[in-house]
Amino acid sequence: MSIKKLEKLYKKYWDSLRLFRNTNGLSSPLLIKTRSKKIKLFIVGQETFGGWTRDSIKKCQNDYEETLIPCLKTEKPKKRYQGKWDTWSTYRSAFWRTVRTLVAELKINQEKEGIAWNNINRMDYKGHGPNNKLKRQMIEKFPLLRQEIKICKPEIIVFFTNQRYDKLLKQTFEKSKTKITFQKIKGFPLKKLAKITIVGFKGKAYRTYHPAYKQKKEVEKIISTIVKDFKN
């Protein structure tokens, strides 16, 4: 894991990212910041809903870290609000509750093993998902996700993107000239849970529903299945 490689990647695209954001009224992009040399888990969500308006890579990464670190902790945030963020609402969301469950079941030692997070759509439109045209343009212009994964070298990736994003997910990797395929896991229909093969990626990858779409018990069953398959 090379932090400098991430910085170099973001500097390469920053001017065009900023121009695209300003032209289309989008938020600042979600850019990874990590202090870990080894990344165990890479989480991919759907899109941001923060409406960030930062004007530098450093500030974008600081927002990222200020969100990720509190949401991974087992204890609840002491402060209800942190900057413009309602930390408590973010912490207790279905997405982050599920991520913490996954981290616990994987028995990740956060002092030694890092966790990275991003979204298939790393910019939002006024706190909501961008339209389909902008989603496609983001992927075509900024093929960052595959490169972030290549740099972070996680052991496991979980895409909480829902099956309706499969086409966009394929386009994301194909733009980086990387083929991906989806396989069924016993006991689940493909739309609910899939194991993903990513050419050139040595770890294991999975795609499932966004946690907000399903009941807690069903989400927990899916997480347990992912962890069991990963360990086998």
Side-chain angles (χ1 to χ4, degrees):
M1 167 66 201
S2 173
I3 297 173
K4 290 184 178 180
K5 285 184 179 180
L6 276 177
E7 293 175 351
K8 185 178 179 180
L9 173 66
Y10 295 148
K11 285 179 182 179
K12 177 182 177 181
Y13 286 97
W14 177 251
D15 288 342
S16 52
L17 271 169
R18 186 168 55 180
L19 178 61
F20 184 78
R21 179 199 74 188
N22 292 339
T23 301
N24 295 287
L26 299 173
S27 69
S28 303
L30 192 62
L31 302 179
I32 295 171
K33 181 179 181 181
T34 179
R35 303 180 187 187
S36 302
K37 293 182 178 180
K38 179 183 177 182
I39 300 296
K40 175 86 171 185
L41 171 66
F42 198 116
I43 295 294
V44 182
Q46 293 179 340
E47 52 244 343
T48 60
F49 289 94
W52 289 335
T53 55
R54 302 306 188 189
D55 58 2
S56 72
I57 294 172
K58 184 178 180 180
K59 288 180 180 178
C60 287
Q61 288 182 309
N62 286 343
D63 278 341
Y64 170 95
E65 192 174 47
E66 287 175 4
T67 302
L68 181 63
I69 292 177
C71 286
L72 288 177
K73 292 181 178 180
T74 54
E75 67 270 17
K76 299 175 183 178
K78 293 181 179 179
K79 295 182 180 179
R80 183 174 177 83
Y81 292 94
Q82 182 176 356
K84 293 183 179 180
W85 281 89
D86 184 341
T87 310
W88 171 240
S89 293
T90 305
Y91 176 89
R92 63 197 276 274
S93 69
F95 179 82
W96 287 111
R97 289 200 311 268
T98 303
V99 170
R100 289 193 296 274
T101 298
L102 178 60
V103 170
E105 291 208 22
L106 286 169
K107 294 181 170 56
I108 295 177
N109 183 342
Q110 294 189 50
E111 293 182 1
K112 298 180 180 179
E113 300 171 313
I115 298 163
W117 155 60
N118 218 310
N119 291 311
I120 191 167
N121 301 308
R122 65 184 63 233
M123 291 183 276
D124 63 70
Y125 179 74
K126 297 182 179 180
H128 300 282
N131 62 41
N132 290 333
K133 181 181 178 180
L134 288 175
K135 289 176 182 177
R136 290 193 299 269
Q137 288 179 343
M138 275 193 278
I139 286 172
E140 291 169 1
K141 294 176 180 291
F142 315 112
L144 296 172
L145 183 60
R146 177 66 185 104
Q147 296 179 71
E148 289 170 333
I149 290 171
K150 187 176 181 180
I151 291 169
C152 290
K153 298 178 181 178
E155 294 181 30
I156 175 173
I157 307 170
V158 180
F159 295 90
F160 290 109
T161 48
N162 203 315
Q163 80 279 2
R164 68 188 179 92
Y165 277 91
D166 282 357
K167 184 177 180 180
L168 202 62
L169 194 56
K170 285 183 178 180
Q171 292 173 349
T172 299
F173 285 92
E174 287 170 359
K175 182 63 180 177
S176 301
K177 299 179 180 180
T178 302
K179 184 179 179 181
I180 71 169
T181 55
F182 298 80
Q183 298 94 36
K184 287 182 65 176
I185 290 181
K186 187 177 180 180
F188 294 89
L190 190 64
K191 68 177 184 179
K192 186 175 292 187
L193 176 62
K195 192 170 184 177
I196 303 178
T197 298
I198 304 171
V199 173
F201 176 61
K202 296 180 180 179
K204 293 185 178 182
Y206 306 86
R207 186 271 295 134
T208 188
Y209 288 115
H210 188 283
Y213 287 94
K214 288 295 174 181
Q215 294 182 347
K216 183 178 178 181
K217 287 185 178 180
E218 189 167 2
V219 172
E220 289 175 348
K221 182 180 177 181
I222 290 172
I223 293 301
S224 295
T225 302
I226 289 173
V227 172
K228 183 178 179 180
D229 186 87
F230 171 70
K231 291 181 177 180
N232 287 341

